[in-house]
Amino acid sequence: MTQISRRSLLKTGAAAGVLAATGMPLRAQAKKGGRLRLGLAGANTSDSWDGRTHSDSFMIMAAHGCVFDCLTEVGADGQLKGELAESWEASADAKTWTFKLRQGVTFHNGKAFGADDVIASLGMHTEEGAKSAAKPIVSSISEMKKINDHEIELTLAAGNADFPFLLSDYHILMFPAGQIEEAIAKGIGTGMYEVVSFDPGVRFVGKRVASHYKDGSAGWFDEVEAIAINDSSARMNALMTGQVDAVNRVDVKTEALLKANPAVNIFEVTGNQHYTFPMLTGTDPYSNISVRKALKHAINREELVEKILQGHGKVANDHPIGPANQYYAADLEQNSYDPDKAKFYLKEAGMDSLSVDLSAANAAFSGAIDAAQLYQASAKAAGININVVQEPDDGYWSNVWLKKPWCACYWSGRATEDWMFSTAYESGVPWNDTNWENARFQELLLTARAELDSSKRRDMYTEMQMLMSSEGGTVIPMYANYVDAHSTKLTNSGTIGNVFQMDSSRMMERWWFA
Amino acid sequence: MSGLLKIIIQRLFLGLITLLVVSVIIFTAVNLLPGDFAQAILGQGATEEAVAAIREQLGLDQHPVQRYFQWLAGALQGDLGTPMSQALFKSFAGTNTGESDVTVLSQIGPRFANTMFLAAVTAAIAVPLSIFLGILTALYRNSAFDRAMNVFTLSSISSPEFFLAYILILFLAVLNPIFPSLSNIFEGMAFGDRLEKTMLPALTLTLVVTAHMMRMTRAAIINLLASPYIEMARLKGLSPMRVIVKHALPNALAPIINVVALNLAYLITGVVIVEVVFVYPGIGQLFVDSVKIRDIPVVQACCLIFAAAYILLNLTADILSIISNPRLRHPK
């Protein structure tokens, strides 16, 4: 028998099985070194390190996924784990949360991380005049109490079982207390990479810190560079010619050319991003539940996924909870294209035929006008006459959405069910684009929010998805995938996060050079 | 020479008036575009209250005429204002973030320097090349070489810039990896690297501007070749090259300088598409981004720079052609 050296053991595939059986993570094969170069869309000259202002992919990747940390993190497998928080506990009513913070963590300027930094960083979002997108999350905290340097107690105004989940939001980054202004100017966080240079809207370069609490589980590159390439052909070109190692937002029109290149891999995940056709249910004829049901059965979802997303998506079921959500109900009865059923519901509403206006512009989502026209064609078979009204892109969100009785719309989705529902479907919230009133739905929303028992929550959220799917005021035909591409020189653990594009924007931490 | 000075002062004054008119036109045009900064920046979040709040904060709720004069008053004192995106960002933070204030000038400055660098590299290639080719085509006019050059340069000027850019990327970056397809230059880059990264956009622009300059050189020289003094030079037995370079070229300089100046102005103002294709961080990209979000102060400043480049280069062209022409230099 030939002797197997430790090195060759690690190299062979059989070894992987052995090691997996011993409980040693496969990630042990990850290799250190190299400089990762990313070509990213979504950069602006007004970019800064202020997490409160982040909304586009470039800064989310550079700050949330690289230079800064949050208290919690959604792993590639979708499970919540601690980032700067080590563990947490809730009181029975989900109102009081105690977080134990990681010890021995330092900011890039040498300052030790502790409870004061958490209080100051959370306080940034509720500061007088601040317009943080995470303000609703932070303002739900009624009291912040420091127990000791590494323990903090947060009391909420009302119970919220998702609270630790919400703290993984990319806006809620941890800054050094007392040095927040400096940290925003220079980019001083606790992340695996410290800022070497940053030119807003142009380029970011980061260097691996010498030692980090995630050592051994993430952070394989010596250096990372993100280059702003907003033009999509230029971005694809940069990957094809090897100027960058990965790009986000693959242009599906030129996807075939990328596929033909053996040195390039396309990777995609279905997340929570979805396209919708909301109806104002206070307006006729959409106030009639049978009309809504008829419209839901008059759209050919498979055709839309095929023609509008070129196959890069998944059929949705008229509720906004996606595969990246914890309690996504995948096995609900699917609303499908069925002209006879649509006709039946029209009869139920006391109509032989129906004529409605559908307002659309490509500002709603790329291909919205084509989607509306496909809808028009498929609805004809059910005796529904959809008149597609082409609206101008400019001012679409101010003049059409929430104003016209039926229009096209887009949602990036939210990390938790409660967050999604309370953003757009809770009665009375400003972005409620259907004004759908359902007593049972509203009741469940409030009960589920404070419920800590996971299986009870699953039941409640499943019922809410069912209610929306059958009676709700919006037609949600499809989830749009996050489609990105990388050079075959790069590799990863095999599980790719689906919260956001580019492995939940954690590519710089989680990937390595093969 | 005092006559020349008078012309320069006169033209500079006229130039200022032109700039003023340009600023009015741009301001009106941007205001005519549907949507404004508040709506563009808010996107889906553009509820009525949010739009109104941002408008009030940035003074967008004031009458356009009032806003224009406020801007003009600042501009006359050398203050081109703060980009709206920066002003909004500060308000996001609630308190001042302690960063040094970003103004329109500080935002445009480094971008403009990059654009000037690209223009300089292109000019250094294109101007000698096209004058040289112009002389050669004049010398061997109607030969196969002349026709080939004309067909080549005319077809490159007739193609859209992005198409030329992609052709060059295909041949010089993908099939034969000589130059990088990405021109992401940054501060502190070594000159050699910077030059290498700038090569493809510079070559693209060279293809675009060469035809015009080359054909003007050729035409100006051929035009002169019919004059009696050239015939005299030929009769003296001078070589054709010497006849053209020593005798014809100096007299053809005025139209050539004019067309060179016009093309240089184009290099500064017309690089928008090329910059986007090659991800070159110049003023063109900034301009496109700013128009998209209706950031009026930045758009105004970019347009004024473009207009000023045209005016100054035209003035330079006229002055140089006066200097190169003794009849204009000493008017009776």
Side-chain angles (χ1 to χ4, degrees), chain A residues 85-105:
Chain A
E86 221 164 32
S87 63
W88 50 88
E89 262 169 35
S91 62
D93 57 359
K95 257 184 162 176
T96 311
W97 291 84
T98 315
F99 288 85
K100 282 213 169 60
L101 306 177
R102 220 173 270 281
Q103 307 211 6
V105 175

Side-chain angles (χ1 to χ4, degrees), chain B residues 224-237:
Chain B
L224 285 175
L225 288 183
S227 10
Y229 77 97
I230 296 290
E231 222 161 302
M232 180 62 208
R234 272 209 206 105
L235 286 174
K236 279 198 297 187

Side-chain angles (χ1 to χ4, degrees), chain A residues 43-50 52-53 124 127-133 180-182 184-185 199-203 225 227-231 233-235 237-238 240-241 243-244 394-395 397-399 401-403 409-412 430-431 433, chain B residues 33-35 39 41-49 51 53-54 57 85-86 88-89 91-99 107 111 166 169 173-174 179-187 197 276-279 281 285-286 289-290 292-294:
Chain A
N44 296 290
T45 41
S46 54
D47 285 343
S48 89
W49 291 111
D50 191 341
R52 293 171 292 189
T53 63
M124 288 166 67
E127 223 168 83
E128 175 72 31
K131 295 189 192 84
S132 167
I180 290 180
E181 289 178 7
E182 192 194 348
I184 286 177
D199 189 355
V202 179
R203 181 172 175 263
E225 177 178 8
I227 304 164
I229 315 182
N230 288 334
D231 182 64
S233 348
R235 206 163 57 248
N237 256 324
M240 297 279 270
T241 56
Q243 302 282 300
V244 296
D394 283 297
W397 301 110
S398 359
N399 305 330
W401 184 58
L402 297 173
K403 302 270 187 320
C409 175
Y410 150 87
W411 286 96
S412 57
W431 282 354
D433 56 13
Chain B
L33 288 175
Q39 293 178 342
I41 207 84
L42 284 168
Q44 194 172 5
T47 52
E48 244 165 76
E49 303 84 55
V51 169
I54 289 185
Q57 202 161 13
S85 52
Q86 291 295 333
L88 180 74
F89 163 68
S91 75
F92 252 109
T95 52
N96 194 337
T97 56
E99 268 179 286
Q107 196 169 55
R111 299 293 194 103
Y166 287 138
I169 288 180
V174 180
F179 297 117
S181 70
L182 207 57
S183 308
N184 55 327
I185 62 165
F186 48 88
E187 227 171 297
K197 292 242 177 200
V276 170
V277 170
F278 290 102
V279 199
Q285 265 206 350
L286 181 67
D289 291 347
S290 305
K292 250 187 235 159
I293 58 169
R294 316 273 190 267

Side-chain angles (χ1 to χ4, degrees), chain B:
Chain B
M1 264 333 235
S2 69
L4 194 59
L5 200 67
K6 203 175 131 201
I7 293 176
I8 295 178
I9 291 170
Q10 243 175 15
R11 291 285 299 271
L12 281 178
F13 181 70
L14 279 174
L16 280 180
I17 295 180
T18 316
L19 285 185
L20 196 70
V21 174
V22 167
S23 75
V24 174
I25 295 175
I26 297 302
F27 192 85
T28 323
V30 177
N31 274 302
L32 284 179
L33 288 175
D36 67 355
F37 176 77
Q39 293 178 342
I41 207 84
L42 284 168
Q44 194 172 5
T47 52
E48 244 165 76
E49 303 84 55
V51 169
I54 289 185
R55 280 189 188 149
E56 196 195 329
Q57 202 161 13
L58 298 177
L60 281 171
D61 51 346
Q62 291 164 9
H63 194 269
V65 175
Q66 192 184 351
R67 274 189 288 138
Y68 175 75
F69 280 104
Q70 274 170 3
W71 173 85
L72 187 66
L76 288 177
Q77 294 163 38
D79 172 19
L80 287 172
T82 309
M84 286 184 183
S85 52
Q86 291 295 333
L88 180 74
F89 163 68
K90 262 187 225 134
S91 75
F92 252 109
T95 52
N96 194 337
T97 56
E99 268 179 286
S100 57
D101 287 357
V102 178
T103 62
V104 169
L105 281 180
S106 68
Q107 196 169 55
I108 289 184
R111 299 293 194 103
F112 184 60
N114 286 344
T115 295
M116 288 302 282
F117 181 75
L118 175 57
V121 173
T122 311
I125 301 171
V127 174
L129 179 75
S130 44
I131 292 182
F132 180 66
L133 286 179
I135 293 173
L136 281 188
T137 45
L139 193 59
Y140 304 109
R141 59 188 174 280
N142 301 330
S143 67
F145 169 75
D146 180 28
R147 279 170 218 279
M149 281 325 293
N150 274 318
V151 167
F152 176 70
T153 51
L154 283 178
S155 32
S156 54
I157 203 178
S158 322
S159 313
E161 282 157 55
F162 65 87
F163 178 68
L164 288 177
Y166 287 138
I167 295 267
L168 284 184
I169 288 180
L170 178 66
F171 284 108
L172 297 179
V174 180
L175 297 179
N176 314 293
I178 303 172
F179 297 117
S181 70
L182 207 57
S183 308
N184 55 327
I185 62 165
F186 48 88
E187 227 171 297
M189 207 174 189
F191 182 77
D193 291 345
R194 188 179 263 251
L195 203 58
E196 193 196 352
K197 292 242 177 200
T198 313
M199 229 34 185
L200 278 187
L203 286 180
T204 310
L205 287 171
T206 301
L207 286 179
V208 175
V209 297
T210 299
H212 199 186
M213 292 193 282
M214 184 202 93
R215 289 190 47 90
M216 189 52 105
T217 309
R218 179 179 178 275
I221 291 177
I222 289 177
N223 199 22
L224 285 175
L225 288 183
S227 10
Y229 77 97
I230 296 290
E231 222 161 302
M232 180 62 208
R234 272 209 206 105
L235 286 174
K236 279 198 297 187
L238 297 179
S239 72
M241 195 63 182
R242 197 177 159 81
V243 168
I244 286 180
V245 175
K246 277 273 179 186
H247 295 260
L249 192 59
N251 282 306
L253 269 185
I256 295 175
I257 288 173
N258 249 317
V259 76
V260 166
L262 264 181
N263 278 293
L264 288 185
Y266 176 80
L267 286 182
I268 296 172
T269 61
V271 295
V272 176
I273 294 168
V274 171
E275 281 183 5
V276 170
V277 170
F278 290 102
V279 199
Y280 189 90
I283 196 171
Q285 265 206 350
L286 181 67
F287 182 61
V288 172
D289 291 347
S290 305
V291 170
K292 250 187 235 159
I293 58 169
R294 316 273 190 267
D295 198 334
I296 299 179
V298 182
V299 174
Q300 285 273 43
C302 288
C303 285
L304 287 187
I305 288 178
F306 293 159
Y310 255 102
I311 291 169
L312 288 179
L313 281 165
N314 259 321
L315 177 61
T316 317
D318 286 355
I319 292 165
L320 283 178
S321 48
I322 290 174
I323 292 175
S324 72
N325 187 335
R327 275 172 302 180
L328 291 174
R329 220 183 316 159
H330 307 286
K332 289 258 166 72

